[in-house]
Amino acid sequence: MTDPDNLNAILDCIAAGIHTESDIATLRQALIVSGDRNVVQLGKYNLNINQGRDIQVGDRHYYGSDAEAIQAIIRQLLEEYIGSKNPEIANQETSYVRETVYSTLFPVVAMPRYIYGVPCKYNDLQAKEAAQEIIPPVDKTEIYPFLLRGGMLFCFQNLNYQDGPFRELVGNQKVECYEVYEWCEDPEQKKWFVTLLNYSLNKLTGRKGLQLDKIHRRYYFQPQETGKPLEVNYRPLNQSKTSRNVVWQPITKKTKEPKSYWYHLAVALKFHQVSDEHWCLSVRPEMRVTKDGLTPIASKKIGSRVTHKKSRLFNYDLLGDVNFWRDFLSNGQPRIILPFGAKDQKIIVSTTMMQAEIEWPGIPEEYAKPFKNVEYPEDLFSWAALARLANEDTEQTDSWEEWESVLDEEQEFEDE
């Protein structure tokens, strides 16, 4: 940075009319132009060069003709900057590229409309005991998360349905129905709603064979056989099909010997409310490390291994990981559907990543790889799933008392 005392000396010479080309060159290097052309930065000082104003540089003040002389030189340099430098800036701007930036967020296109509640004999800490009385439904696609709070059982299923999975817990008791939007107006009940959403994720991931890491609030792959790696087929960014390791023991490149730990692909999933009526699902790829494919290693040893692994990943690698998880969780379909038995009782998450257009200098060409499988096309299976949802309860009214719901078997209930 230019010495402030030297700047004052140069400005004194300009005021006296005895400055040199070397002085002007020094000012040119020290001059920084911002958006406001009446205010420039000279070294570490801001100068207002409006006509008729005095100039202060540090603790020095310049008045009258001295200030005018300095203003004239600064304006000359400013015009020089605009004239000669501007083409260079314009060339830089024309070299900007317009690209699509993809997010780790996925839009939720449907949420349950109602929450149902009934008095329950079990307390908040007896979820596992209550789960023993749930009767698995006929429909194997439906999920049935529930929550115990203050002597009440809450869920997304219509508890009035006499053949529902919670019928042993309901009995002849009066069922309450609540609008979700009204629940979310109360801070405490909104937390309960989000908990029900997260329990829904527990059930989705459980059916996909993932395990829940309660400490780190993430889901991870477990080997099907101890000491055996696990591989999963999926649709990558730019191909129709491939496979990747989701549980494996890394190999030392030099010795070709296996290392003393295992990697497990993991993911953190979370619902976020982004406006009064809109939600999204975040998908954050993570990594779990174990000794033998089952036993976690000491926490102090995890950081270095994961950091070493992640430090070699670039944006495109992260995009690939997010793409893997959306494909795995949706079975390669345009949407993730979590049904609760009635037409307004479901969660639907689009598998098209939230995105935005930007203009920026771009990244090195070797890292600027294309992303072709942005959206998954509809097929017979996805159309059938949508048609099934649309036709649910077609012979019934929108009255919540008349809605049906049926449930399925699934993993053991997960505590918060």
Side-chain angles (χ1 to χ4, degrees):
M1 181 178 290
T2 306
D3 183 0
D5 291 334
N6 190 31
L7 284 177
N8 282 122
I10 292 173
L11 295 178
D12 288 341
C13 291
I14 292 175
I18 57 174
H19 58 279
T20 65
E21 286 298 321
S22 178
D23 294 332
I24 299 301
T26 300
L27 285 184
R28 185 180 293 113
Q29 293 177 356
L31 187 67
I32 301 174
V33 181
S34 62
D36 185 353
R37 295 181 182 178
N38 290 319
V39 179
V40 298
Q41 185 174 338
L42 196 60
K44 66 178 183 178
Y45 303 119
N46 288 329
L47 277 73
N48 191 318
I49 56 175
N50 280 327
Q51 290 286 351
R53 291 182 176 271
D54 299 334
I55 292 179
Q56 179 179 355
V57 181
D59 57 357
R60 295 288 301 278
H61 290 78
Y62 298 89
Y63 304 95
S65 60
D66 291 349
E68 292 175 359
I70 294 172
Q71 288 172 343
I73 294 296
I74 298 298
R75 288 186 178 281
Q76 179 183 336
L77 294 178
L78 181 60
E79 292 299 323
E80 175 185 315
Y81 176 88
I82 295 172
S84 63
K85 297 294 183 180
N86 201 46
E88 179 180 337
I89 294 174
N91 290 336
Q92 291 177 355
E93 290 179 348
T94 57
S95 68
Y96 278 24
V97 294
R98 186 172 185 84
E99 292 186 328
T100 301
V101 175
Y102 297 96
S103 170
T104 61
L105 300 175
F106 295 83
V108 176
V109 296
M111 274 287 191
R113 182 177 176 183
Y114 301 109
I115 294 171
Y116 299 89
V118 69
C120 184
K121 62 184 178 182
Y122 296 105
N123 62 41
D124 296 8
L125 302 178
Q126 294 179 305
K128 291 183 179 180
E129 289 80 357
Q132 298 300 314
E133 298 195 38
I134 295 175
I135 300 174
V138 176
D139 187 345
K140 301 299 181 182
T141 67
E142 197 170 332
I143 64 175
Y144 50 98
F146 70 92
L147 178 68
L148 297 176
R149 289 293 184 271
M152 293 284 290
L153 181 146
F154 298 107
C155 65
F156 293 132
Q157 269 74 22
N158 186 344
L159 297 176
N160 286 284
Y161 179 45
Q162 62 181 359
D163 293 327
F166 298 99
R167 58 184 179 270
E168 295 296 325
L169 293 165
V170 175
N172 296 320
Q173 302 179 96
K174 180 182 177 181
V175 174
E176 300 290 340
C177 178
Y178 312 90
E179 292 271 4
V180 165
Y181 79 89
E182 291 180 347
W183 247 44
C184 289
E185 290 177 353
D186 179 271
E188 188 64 23
Q189 291 179 339
K190 181 178 179 180
K191 292 180 182 178
W192 297 354
F193 175 64
V194 173
T195 298
L196 277 172
L197 296 180
N198 291 332
Y199 285 172
S200 301
L201 294 175
N202 289 354
K203 298 179 184 302
L204 168 68
T205 54
R207 293 182 184 182
K208 301 292 293 182
L210 299 178
Q211 302 296 312
L212 174 62
D213 180 349
K214 296 181 182 180
I215 297 177
H216 300 97
R217 297 181 178 273
R218 63 190 177 193
Y219 306 93
Y220 64 93
F221 284 99
Q222 190 88 319
Q224 296 177 351
E225 297 181 47
T226 303
K228 297 288 186 179
L230 181 62
E231 194 173 83
V232 169
N233 294 325
Y234 78 107
R235 186 185 313 181
L237 296 174
N238 298 300
Q239 301 176 35
S240 59
K241 187 177 181 180
T242 190
S243 62
R244 69 177 295 177
N245 286 325
V246 295
V247 180
W248 73 99
Q249 188 175 17
I251 304 296
T252 304
K253 291 184 179 180
K254 291 184 179 180
T255 65
K256 306 300 181 183
E257 293 293 323
K259 296 184 179 180
S260 60
Y261 54 90
W262 288 67
Y263 283 131
H264 304 242
L265 290 190
V267 65
L269 303 172
K270 187 175 182 180
F271 284 101
H272 304 268
Q273 187 175 19
V274 294
S275 71
D276 290 342
E277 299 181 355
H278 296 92
W279 293 73
C280 63
L281 175 68
S282 64
V283 176
R284 187 178 69 190
E286 296 191 5
M287 189 77 70
R288 179 178 171 88
V289 186
T290 63
K291 294 179 180 179
D292 52 9
L294 295 173
T295 309
I297 66 174
S299 299
K300 63 181 179 181
K301 295 182 179 180
I302 294 177
S304 60
R305 288 178 171 83
V306 174
T307 300
H308 177 74
K309 182 72 175 176
K310 294 291 186 179
S311 65
R312 302 183 180 185
L313 300 181
F314 292 88
N315 286 350
Y316 194 77
D317 301 304
L318 175 60
L319 179 64
D321 286 344
V322 173
N323 174 71
F324 166 79
W325 283 109
R326 70 158 178 169
D327 186 87
F328 177 77
L329 294 172
S330 69
N331 295 322
Q333 297 298 307
R335 57 194 66 83
I336 300 170
I337 301 176
L338 305 177
F340 305 108
K343 63 180 180 181
D344 282 345
Q345 294 299 99
K346 56 186 173 289
I347 299 173
I348 301 179
V349 181
S350 170
T351 54
T352 300
M353 301 174 192
M354 298 178 72
Q355 53 193 267
E357 296 291 325
I358 64 168
E359 288 188 8
W360 70 317
I363 59 177
E365 187 175 350
E366 61 267 28
Y367 301 118
K369 302 176 183 179
F371 177 18
K372 296 180 180 178
N373 295 327
V374 177
E375 298 182 5
Y376 289 161
E378 299 284 359
D379 58 22
L380 290 176
F381 296 102
S382 63
W383 281 118
L386 277 183
R388 180 174 177 276
L389 290 174
N391 291 330
E392 282 179 342
D393 309 317
T394 53
E395 298 180 356
Q396 302 185 36
T397 68
D398 286 341
S399 173
W400 66 270
E401 290 90 351
E402 298 178 355
W403 281 5
E404 286 189 0
S405 71
V406 278
L407 301 175
D408 75 318
E409 79 170 277
E410 67 96 67
Q411 71 188 69
E412 181 183 66
F413 183 88
E414 295 287 356
D415 296 329
E416 283 187 278

